[in-house]
Amino acid sequence: AGFLGGEAQATGTTLFGDVGFVQNRAPGASGTVTATVAGLSVSSGPYTRQRTAATSVRGLLISNDVWYDSTLNSGAGGGTVQVAVQVMDAVGNVQVSAGQTVAVVVTRSDGGQQQQGGCTVSGTDGSCVATVTLGDSWFAQSGDVLANVSYGLTLGGQMAAGQAVLRRKPTVTVANNVVVALPQISLYRGSTFSVNVQAHAGLAISTFTLK
């Protein structure tokens, strides 16, 4: 059912008016609206409930701890920061206009580097997970680094998501001419990972046995 938006107007034998807020129909839904008088159908026509632009967004920082090898399987050093977000329009609907994006910014707390990322929200529930990839230079061997994470509908209207801790970059000690780099990231039963092994190229084949 719809609701008449204002007083109906009559022109000759025609009665017309604006009908809005189709009850129990999600934004983007379409159907047929029928006008009845005294129980008799007098007119009908198609309608589509339009989606509107997002006016607000909420977010949750997923990556409280970021490890130097969280991009382990990509073959490059660095880490990723992730923020889960959901948008809403002015009346709280999450089915907003198509193509709505959310911007995420990561800034080192010492006022240094800044990296941007974002994602395009789902047309079903208005949510997405934004990923910002941080390169090797973001991490220090001397200790952990703090990074401020923010999000918003635009780069100019950011809200704080929290602080991520960029864990110390590992130092490597060479023992018996072999270096084995084990992952720092959290691993669970069923997880798979790669181990980078480097050995002295000048030694003979079958010199090393790794278990």
Side-chain angles (χ1 to χ4, degrees), residues 178 180 182 195 197 208-211:
V178 177
V180 179
L182 295 175
V195 175
V197 179
F208 305 106
T209 300
L210 302 177
K211 297 181 179 180

Side-chain angles (χ1 to χ4, degrees), residues 29-50:
S30 59
T32 301
V33 61
T34 301
T36 61
V37 176
L40 299 176
S41 176
V42 295
S43 181
S44 64
Y47 76 88
T48 299
R49 187 177 178 193
Q50 299 297 320

Side-chain angles (χ1 to χ4, degrees), residues 11 19 22 28 32 44-45 50 62 66 71 85 91 94 111 113 148 176 178 183 189 195 198:
T11 302
V19 176
V22 181
T32 301
S44 64
Q50 299 297 320
I62 299 174
V66 182
T71 55
V85 296
V91 295
V94 296
Q113 295 161 284
N148 298 316
N176 298 321
V178 177
R189 179 178 296 177
V195 175
Q198 294 177 301

Side-chain angles (χ1 to χ4, degrees), residues 14-97:
T14 302
L15 188 69
F16 64 92
D18 294 328
V19 176
F21 191 68
V22 181
Q23 189 177 19
N24 298 327
R25 300 292 286 174
S30 59
T32 301
V33 61
T34 301
T36 61
V37 176
L40 299 176
S41 176
V42 295
S43 181
S44 64
Y47 76 88
T48 299
R49 187 177 178 193
Q50 299 297 320
R51 294 172 180 259
T52 56
T55 58
S56 63
V57 58
R58 56 186 177 182
L60 176 67
L61 177 62
I62 299 174
S63 310
N64 295 303
D65 291 305
V66 182
W67 299 95
Y68 174 75
D69 58 354
S70 59
T71 55
L72 183 69
N73 293 323
S74 69
T80 56
V81 174
Q82 291 188 310
V83 180
V85 296
Q86 185 179 47
V87 300
M88 290 169 283
D89 66 13
V91 295
N93 290 316
V94 296
Q95 295 98 345
V96 299
S97 302

